[in-house]
């Protein structure tokens, strides 16, 4: 058994940092899913009938027995691949539960990740579980497969699309969801069937959902994986600091080379006095001496933080601007047209 990857203070490369996070998050998500499965199956209380069939003596809010399961589409593989491009299945449940629980099931959205389980219990209704022994062997969980919800089917067998329109009210307790199956896992299962193993898709009998706030592992893992395949993720001035090397003060904005000292603030400041009051620790100098021309919008030029003195770029031999000073330049917005909707929006206080 290998040791768990650790998040140290220093990392070799950015790929090493992302790889450690990917493995740790995979293990954490797997453990959380396992706890949810144990909790839901214990509430269902599966047991074997005298005839040898599987039955459930309890009920769970997050899991329901499957009434019918059928694979409805196996799309052809893409060029150069040996797995199906898409596998879709229909899962039918009988929601004989309180109305608020039924609403939670009907609230399953597109791309929500759910679980399909095949449970073949070996214990009778009177027997009790031994917590010191293996849980899966006692309950009879033979396999667990993940799926992604495409949508709830209406009475005509069509997926109810999400939108501003209110969803149709379905009659009865039967609800059918169309889900996407994992194509790689489906290909492996089909190869196992060819070798003589049992078809597990005929034995799936429990459909389980998870809480939305805890069910984001797929999106997080896909994001980390995409970052690992990206050439540049963080800027150069943050790269070494992020990996734990160098001086942390080097990431301060005052130490960054090629700083952008001039910036157009548009209508952020209502008046020149408002601008002066917003920078009490700076010396504010206006390029225009006439107070009637000191009208917003303004373009500000900050002094260079690396040197004590800086000259304005438009002034080759002009007087230098001292440190912690701001040069203010009022300007006029070009006319965009004669109509009111051509005029840009302004800040009104």
């Amino acid at each position: 058994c290998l040791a768990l990857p650790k998040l140290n203070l220093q990392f070799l490369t950015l790929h090493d940092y992302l790889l450690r996070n990917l493995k740790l998050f995979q293990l954490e998500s797997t453990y959380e899913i396992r706890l949810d499965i144990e909790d839901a199956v214990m509430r269902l209380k599966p047991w074997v009938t005298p005839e040898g069939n599987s039955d459930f003596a309890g009920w769970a809010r997050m899991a329901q027995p499957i009434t019918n399961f059928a694979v409805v589409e196996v799309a052809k593989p893409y060029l150069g691949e040996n797995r199906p491009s898409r596998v879709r299945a229909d899962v039918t449940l009988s929601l004989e539960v309180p109305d608020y629980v039924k609403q939670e099931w009907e609230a399953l959205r597109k791309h929500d990740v759910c679980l399909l389980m095949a449970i073949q219990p070996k214990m009778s209704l009177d027997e009790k579980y031994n917590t010191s022994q293996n849980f899966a062997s006692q309950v009879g969980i033979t396999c667990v497969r993940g799926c992604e919800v495409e949508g709830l089917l209406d009475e005509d067998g069509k997926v109810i699309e999400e939108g501003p329109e209110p969803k149709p009210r379905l009659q009865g307790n039967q609800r059918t969801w169309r889900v996407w199956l994992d194509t790689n896992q489906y290909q492996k299962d089909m190869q196992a069937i060819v070798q003589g193993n049992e078809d597990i898709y005929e034995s799936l009998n429990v459909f389980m959902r998870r809480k939305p706030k805890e069910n984001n592992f797929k999106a997080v893992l896909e994001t980390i994986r995409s970052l690992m395949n990206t050439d540049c993720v963080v800027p150069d001035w943050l790269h070494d600091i992020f990996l734990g090397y160098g001086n942390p003060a080097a990431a301060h904005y005052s130490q960054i080379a090629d700083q952008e000292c001039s910036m157009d603030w548009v209508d952020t400041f209502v008046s020149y006095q408002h601008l002066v009051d917003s920078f009490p620790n700076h010396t504010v100098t206006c390029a225009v001496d006439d107070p009637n021309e000191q009208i917003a919008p303004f373009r500000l030029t900050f002094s260079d933080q690396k040197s004590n003195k800086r000259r304005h770029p438009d002034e080759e031999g002009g007087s230098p601007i001292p440190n912690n000073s701001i040069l203010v330049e009022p300007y006029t917005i070009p006319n965009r047209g004669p109509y009111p909707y051509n005029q840009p929006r302004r800040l009104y206080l």
Side-chain angles (χ1 to χ4, degrees):
C1 182
L2 299 177
L4 294 176
K6 299 177 177 60
L7 297 180
N8 301 322
L9 297 178
Q10 292 182 337
F11 304 94
L12 297 176
T13 59
L14 186 61
H15 187 276
D16 175 51
Y17 170 77
L18 294 174
L19 182 61
R20 290 170 183 258
N21 280 273
L22 180 68
K23 293 183 177 179
L24 285 175
F25 195 80
Q26 283 179 336
L27 296 173
E28 180 184 2
S29 302
T30 304
Y31 181 72
E32 291 178 354
I33 293 174
R34 176 180 176 178
L35 294 180
D36 292 342
I37 290 176
E38 292 182 358
D39 179 71
V41 174
M42 287 291 291
R43 295 177 184 274
L44 285 175
K45 298 179 181 179
W47 65 288
V48 58
T49 62
E51 294 79 12
N53 300 323
S54 301
D55 199 357
F56 300 94
W59 80 282
R61 185 173 182 174
M62 308 301 291
Q64 290 292 320
I66 295 177
T67 304
N68 184 35
F69 178 85
V71 178
V72 297
E73 181 188 8
V74 180
K76 295 182 179 180
Y78 291 123
L79 184 63
E81 297 182 353
N82 59 353
R83 61 181 177 89
S85 59
R86 182 176 61 184
V87 180
R88 297 197 300 177
D90 289 351
V91 184
T92 303
L93 306 181
S94 180
L95 298 179
E96 298 178 358
V97 293
D99 293 338
Y100 69 93
V101 179
K102 184 183 296 184
Q103 292 176 1
E104 291 179 357
W105 279 97
E106 293 178 350
L108 284 175
R109 302 175 59 186
K110 191 175 183 179
H111 300 298
D112 283 350
V113 178
C114 297
L115 300 175
L116 298 165
M117 292 182 287
I119 301 179
Q120 299 178 357
K122 303 177 182 179
M123 303 177 64
S124 62
L125 185 59
D126 298 333
E127 297 183 47
K128 296 183 179 180
Y129 299 111
N130 187 357
T131 56
S132 61
Q133 297 181 4
N134 187 12
F135 174 80
S137 60
Q138 293 185 81
V139 176
I141 301 178
T142 58
C143 72
V144 178
R145 294 292 180 266
C147 63
E148 192 172 343
V149 175
E150 182 181 359
L152 181 66
L153 300 185
D154 57 12
E155 297 177 353
D156 298 331
K158 299 181 180 179
V159 177
I160 302 175
E161 299 293 342
E162 297 181 0
E165 297 81 8
K167 294 184 178 180
R169 298 182 61 88
L170 303 178
Q171 302 297 328
N173 296 326
Q174 296 285 339
R175 298 291 184 272
T176 303
W177 284 268
R178 182 153 294 168
V179 298
W180 292 301
L181 301 180
D182 185 1
T183 56
N184 291 308
Q185 186 63 50
Y186 185 82
Q187 178 65 20
K188 293 181 180 179
D189 294 337
M190 293 299 102
Q191 293 176 355
I193 295 174
V194 173
Q195 297 174 0
N197 295 330
E198 181 184 0
D199 186 1
I200 64 170
Y201 294 97
E202 295 181 354
S203 60
L204 296 174
N205 55 0
V206 174
F207 187 57
M208 175 182 163
R209 62 185 175 92
R210 301 183 67 210
K211 296 179 180 179
K213 294 182 180 180
E214 303 172 357
N215 201 27
N216 62 343
F217 67 94
K218 184 175 183 292
V220 175
L221 292 175
E222 288 179 347
T223 302
I224 298 177
R225 184 182 61 185
S226 63
L227 289 175
M228 294 175 64
N229 297 326
T230 305
D231 295 335
C232 180
V233 180
V234 296
D236 296 336
W237 56 268
L238 185 60
H239 186 271
D240 293 342
I241 308 301
F242 188 81
L243 298 180
Y245 303 100
N247 184 13
H252 194 264
Y253 74 94
S254 61
Q255 304 298 325
I256 300 176
D258 301 330
Q259 299 182 48
E260 186 67 28
C261 298
S262 182
M263 183 179 299
D264 186 1
W265 291 70
V266 198
D267 60 345
T268 304
F269 305 105
V270 180
S271 62
Y272 181 76
Q273 186 61 37
H274 179 209
L275 188 154
V276 174
D277 297 339
S278 300
F279 297 96
N281 299 325
H282 291 71
T283 303
V284 180
T285 305
C286 187
V288 179
D289 297 332
D290 188 0
N292 296 327
E293 298 180 1
Q294 297 175 356
I295 303 174
F298 299 108
R299 184 181 292 107
L300 306 185
T301 302
F302 293 83
S303 59
D304 193 350
Q305 301 294 333
K306 290 186 176 182
S307 61
N308 293 330
K309 295 184 179 181
R310 169 182 170 84
R311 298 180 184 272
H312 189 266
D314 296 337
E315 301 177 354
E316 297 181 357
S319 58
I321 304 174
N323 198 16
N324 288 337
S325 65
I326 302 174
L327 178 63
V328 181
E329 296 177 276
Y331 69 95
T332 303
I333 300 178
N335 188 9
R336 300 184 180 182
Y339 302 104
Y341 64 83
N342 295 131
Q343 304 303 321
R345 294 184 179 181
R346 300 180 60 87
L347 177 63
Y348 296 98
L349 295 178

